[in-house]
Amino acid sequence: MEAVKPYVLRRFKTGDEEWVIRKHGELYAAEYGWNHEFEELVSNIMSAFITSFDKKREQSWIAELNGEIVGSIFVASESETVAKVRLLLVDPKARGLGLGSHLVDECISFARNAGYKKLVLWTNSVLIEARHIYKKKGFILAAEEKHHSFGKDLVGETWEYYFGNSSVKHGC
């Protein structure tokens, strides 16, 4: 029997956009020293997701703990065969509960059921905890690129997860 989780997952609703943008900006500034450019990127991602949302091909999850939002993740359509994981965030007060792992599982399951062949994501090497989750779930580091963004010198990473009859297979 699966243990009862202290958090609940629900779909994105009106008003969540502000939390996702603000919390990303606050946490990444506090934890990594990133500037306003990151919050602007998150805002652009949210705007594109809301504007072009296709409920058959895209989805979102918001996590709540005691009625307070503590996490988010999104799956956006990149193409007919490729989906993209966007905006994984777990508030520090909910870390250590397995929430990040659960959110990534939801994305993998949704993308598989939606018929995608590949799930991709872009992150940065300094995001150690997120990278650990991706690797544990079967994502493979496909590319790295040095860049200067958000006021910092960073190494961007593209991770990929393959479904079905692709040359690389992963189970979940």
Side-chain angles (χ1 to χ4, degrees):
M1 177 181 264
E2 187 176 337
V4 175
K5 304 211 179 348
Y7 55 84
V8 295
L9 298 186
R10 64 168 173 78
R11 299 294 191 235
F12 183 84
K13 65 182 183 185
T14 302
D16 291 340
E17 176 183 13
E18 291 177 9
W19 182 89
V20 171
I21 295 167
R22 180 181 47 80
K23 189 55 83 169
H24 272 83
E26 290 172 355
L27 281 179
Y28 283 76
E31 295 179 356
Y32 302 102
W34 292 6
N35 67 20
H36 68 282
E37 295 169 5
F38 181 66
E39 194 169 13
E40 182 179 349
L41 172 65
V42 173
S43 179
N44 290 337
I45 291 169
M46 285 302 315
S47 178
F49 184 83
I50 291 168
T51 301
S52 66
F53 180 68
D54 175 353
K55 67 181 178 182
K56 293 178 184 169
R57 308 278 298 152
E58 301 176 308
Q59 198 48 262
S60 61
W61 295 267
I62 299 294
E64 292 184 347
L65 180 65
N66 300 320
E68 182 181 353
I69 299 175
V70 292
S72 67
I73 199 164
F74 297 77
V75 172
S77 181
E78 188 84 353
S79 73
E80 192 64 30
T81 60
V82 179
K84 191 168 193 175
V85 175
R86 309 303 308 257
L87 304 177
L88 170 62
L89 181 97
V90 176
D91 189 286
K93 67 183 79 172
R95 291 180 184 162
L97 301 174
L99 176 56
S101 184
H102 188 174
L103 289 167
V104 172
D105 283 343
E106 292 293 329
C107 288
I108 292 170
S109 179
F110 176 83
R112 177 184 289 118
N113 292 334
Y116 288 106
K117 301 295 181 208
K118 181 167 71 168
L119 188 56
V120 299
L121 64 88
W122 181 79
T123 191
N124 284 280
S125 63
V126 297
L127 304 177
I128 303 299
E129 294 84 4
R131 291 174 74 251
H132 175 75
I133 292 170
Y134 304 140
K135 187 173 183 180
K136 184 174 82 172
K137 296 299 176 183
F139 283 82
I140 296 190
L141 180 59
E144 296 176 291
E145 181 179 322
K146 292 180 182 181
H147 64 102
H148 184 85
S149 301
F150 324 127
K152 300 287 180 181
D153 289 326
L154 299 166
V155 177
E157 299 177 339
T158 300
W159 291 72
E160 299 177 339
Y161 184 102
Y162 292 86
F163 300 104
N165 296 324
S166 298
S167 58
V168 180
K169 293 184 181 180
H170 303 287
C172 180

